[in-house]
C-alpha cells in the first residue's frame, strides 16, 4: 500500500495521506514517498495542490517506531534536515496549496500543515503542538512558521502549553482560514480550489509569487515587484478580452 495517493482531477492535484492504520504517522518511507511526489508535481500543469487524509486522524506526526531508531544527535538532525527540505519544497511550490485538515493534526502533523498556504480544519478536530510533552522542540520548521503566522507571543504560548487548539480559536488567531463540518470539509476545500482553477496558470503563479514575496520585502521593493508582475499579467490576454466585452456592452 502506498502511504500517499496522488490524483490530478480537473487540474487540481489531490494528495491523500493514506497510512490510516498508523494514524498517518510519518516514517522514513513516508518522507521519501512524499519527497518524490512533490518533485513530480513541479512538472505538472496543475492549478492547485490539496492535501487531505484517509482515516480519522489527519496526521499524528512522527512515527514512534521510526523515531526510536534515531539514537544519536546526528541521526535526529539528519531526519529534521530531510523534513525541512520536503516542507520547504511544498511551501515554495509556485501554485496555491491547501491543507484540508479532515482530522486532528498533532505534533509533527501540526508542523506539516503550516507549510501550506491555506488551511481548513474539520469542526470536530484540533491542532496540537505537543512536542514539549515529548521533551523536544519542534523539528520540522514548526516554530519558524508558527511565529510568522500568529506572532511571537502567541506562538510561545502554544508551544509551551501544548494544549489542543480547537477550530474557533484556531480561526481567531489566524492559524486556519476556516472550519467546516466533517460531511462537507473536503467538498468545501475542492470548491475553493475550483473557484480559481479556470484561470490562466501563469496568472495564478504570479499572484502566489507576489503574495509570498511581499511578506518579506520592504515597501520600495514590494512596489517594484508588483509593477513588474502586474505588467507581465497585463499582457496575458484576459484583460483585453474583459475590457473589450465591457466596451461592447456600453455601446
Amino acid at each position: 500500500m502506498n502511504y500517499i495517493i496522488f490524483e490530478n482531477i480537473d487540474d487540481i492535484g489531490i494528495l491523500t495521506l493514506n497510512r490510516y492504520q498508523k494514524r498517518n504517522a510519518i516514517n522514513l518511507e513516508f518522507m521519501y514517498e512524499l519527497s518524490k511526489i512533490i518533485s513530480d508535481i513541479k512538472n505538472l500543469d496543475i492549478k492547485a495542490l490539496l492535501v487531505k487524509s484517509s482515516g480519522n486522524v489527519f496526521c499524528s506526526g512522527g512515527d514512534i517506531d521510526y523515531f526510536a531508531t534515531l539514537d544519536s544527535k546526528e541521526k535526529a538532525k539528519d531526519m529534521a534536515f530531510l523534513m525541512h527540505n520536503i516542507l520547504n519544497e511544498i511551501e515554495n511550490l509556485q501554485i496555491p496549496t491547501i491543507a484540508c485538515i479532515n482530522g486532528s493534526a498533532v505534533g509533527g502533523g501540526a508542523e506539516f500543515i503550516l507549510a501550506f498556504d491555506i488551511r481548513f480544519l474539520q469542526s470536530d478536530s484540533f491542532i496540537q503542538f505537543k512536542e514539549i510533552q515529548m521533551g523536544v522542540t519542534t523539528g520540522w520548521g514548526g516554530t519558524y512558521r508558527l511565529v510568522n503566522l500568529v506572532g511571537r507571543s502567541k506562538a510561545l504560548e502554544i508551544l509551551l502549553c501544548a494544549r489542543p487548539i480547537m477550530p474557533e480559536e484556531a480561526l481567531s488567531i489566524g492559524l486556519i482560514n476556516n472550519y467546516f463540518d466533517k460531511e462537507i470539509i473536503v467538498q468545501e476545500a475542492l470548491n475553493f480550489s475550483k473557484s480559481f482553477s479556470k484561470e490562466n496558470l501563469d496568472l495564478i503563479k504570479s499572484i502566489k509569487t507576489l503574495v509570498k514575496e511581499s511578506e518579506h520585502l520592504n515597501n520600495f521593493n514590494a512596489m517594484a515587484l508588483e509593477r513588474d508582475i502586474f505588467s507581465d499579467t497585463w499582457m496575458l490576454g484576459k484583460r483585453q478580452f474583459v475590457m473589450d466585452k465591457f466596451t461592447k456592452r456600453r455601446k
Side-chain angles (χ1 to χ4, degrees):
M1 176 183 291
N2 292 335
Y3 291 159
I4 302 168
I5 298 171
F6 178 77
E7 305 168 274
N8 183 351
I9 301 177
D10 297 329
D11 292 331
I12 299 171
I14 301 176
L15 190 157
T16 303
L17 309 185
N18 193 44
R19 201 182 181 214
Y20 54 88
Q21 305 93 331
K22 291 285 189 177
R23 297 161 60 91
N24 293 311
I26 298 175
N27 61 7
L28 188 60
E29 291 77 15
F30 194 118
M31 294 179 192
Y32 286 148
E33 194 172 327
L34 179 60
S35 179
K36 174 64 166 58
I37 290 173
I38 298 302
S39 179
D40 291 343
I41 284 172
K42 292 179 183 179
N43 298 317
L44 299 177
D45 289 333
I46 56 176
K47 305 293 183 67
L49 175 66
L50 186 153
V51 63
K52 60 183 181 67
S53 69
S54 57
N56 297 319
V57 176
F58 178 80
C59 181
S60 60
D63 185 317
I64 297 300
D65 291 334
Y66 165 55
F67 274 34
T69 68
L70 306 176
D71 54 3
S72 69
K73 179 176 180 178
E74 290 71 23
K75 290 180 181 179
K77 185 178 289 188
D78 287 344
M79 181 275 295
F81 185 69
L82 176 58
M83 277 302 289
H84 281 167
N85 286 338
I86 294 170
L87 296 183
N88 284 344
E89 289 292 310
I90 293 174
E91 188 173 51
N92 291 324
L93 286 173
Q94 292 182 291
I95 55 174
T97 57
I98 301 99
C100 176
I101 313 163
N102 55 329
S104 296
V106 179
E111 296 189 67
F112 177 78
I113 63 173
L114 296 187
F116 289 78
D117 299 317
I118 306 289
R119 287 166 294 279
F120 298 134
L121 178 61
Q122 189 168 295
S123 59
D124 61 354
S125 299
F126 59 85
I127 298 167
Q128 185 177 18
F129 295 83
K130 59 184 301 182
E131 284 81 359
I132 193 172
Q133 296 178 354
M134 299 290 293
V136 296
T137 67
T138 59
W140 294 353
T143 296
Y144 174 82
R145 293 189 175 97
L146 188 62
V147 168
N148 282 277
L149 194 61
V150 304
R152 180 176 64 87
S153 180
K154 178 57 70 172
L156 184 59
E157 173 195 334
I158 289 170
L159 294 170
L160 288 175
C161 294
R163 56 181 172 77
I165 304 169
M166 304 309 292
E168 295 86 351
E169 181 184 3
L171 180 62
S172 70
I173 64 176
L175 188 56
I176 62 173
N177 295 77
N178 210 339
Y179 59 89
F180 301 99
D181 291 341
K182 178 179 182 179
E183 295 76 16
I184 64 172
I185 184 171
V186 174
Q187 188 58 52
E188 289 291 340
L190 283 170
N191 289 345
F192 172 75
S193 302
K194 290 177 181 177
S195 70
F196 59 83
S197 65
K198 300 301 181 184
E199 299 292 348
N200 181 285
L201 179 57
D202 288 333
L203 177 59
I204 293 171
K205 289 181 177 180
S206 294
I207 293 172
K208 166 83 180 262
T209 298
L210 191 55
V211 169
K212 183 174 176 58
E213 294 302 318
S214 293
E215 186 177 19
H216 309 290
L217 297 175
N218 60 32
N219 179 274
F220 179 84
N221 290 328
M223 296 303 108
L225 178 64
E226 183 171 277
R227 290 192 298 273
D228 287 341
I229 292 181
F230 166 72
S231 58
D232 287 339
T233 61
W234 187 260
M235 304 307 296
L236 288 177
K238 181 177 181 178
R239 176 265 319 167
Q240 188 62 52
F241 172 79
V242 173
M243 292 173 66
D244 288 346
K245 186 177 180 180
F246 179 77
T247 302
K248 290 177 182 177
R249 195 166 60 236
R250 289 199 311 177
K251 291 180 178 178

